[in-house]
Each structure stands twice: as C-alpha cells, then as structure tokens.
Amino acid sequence: MFQANLNHAGSELARLRRAVRHGARAQRARLMLIAASICAFAMVGVSATVLSALF
C-alpha cells in the first residue's frame, strides 16, 4: 500500500513538472512576441522618420 502511494505521488510530480515546463515555454513565447512587436514598432518609427526627412 505504501508503494502504491509513492507511485501515485511520482505520477503527480511528473504531471506537475510537465505543467511547469509548458508554462515556461508559453511565457518564453509571450516574451518573444512582445520583443518582436517592439522591434516592429521601432522599425516603423525609424522608417517614418527617414521618409519624412526625405520629403
């Protein structure tokens, strides 16, 4: 009976580890999306500045 409880606890820990890894990946993806958006806005701003200086 004690061994069965350990197996159950092990499976719960494995499930928790998977959930944490998935959360970390999702957080990294969100961070990369935010960084890409900031870069895109910066490029648009620089392009607008250059074009307004030319004309």
Side-chain angles (χ1 to χ4, degrees):
M1 184 166 168
F2 186 71
Q3 183 64 30
N5 289 338
L6 283 178
N7 287 337
H8 180 68
S11 66
E12 288 294 318
L13 288 175
R15 186 184 60 79
L16 182 62
R17 284 187 190 119
R18 279 193 303 272
V20 168
R21 276 195 305 254
H22 177 70
R25 286 184 194 138
Q27 182 67 24
R28 236 177 291 138
R30 282 187 210 105
L31 184 61
M32 289 171 56
L33 182 62
I34 291 169
S37 299
I38 290 170
C39 288
F41 282 122
M43 288 172 56
V44 168
V46 169
S47 298
T49 303
V50 169
L51 286 175
S52 67
L54 290 177
F55 297 108

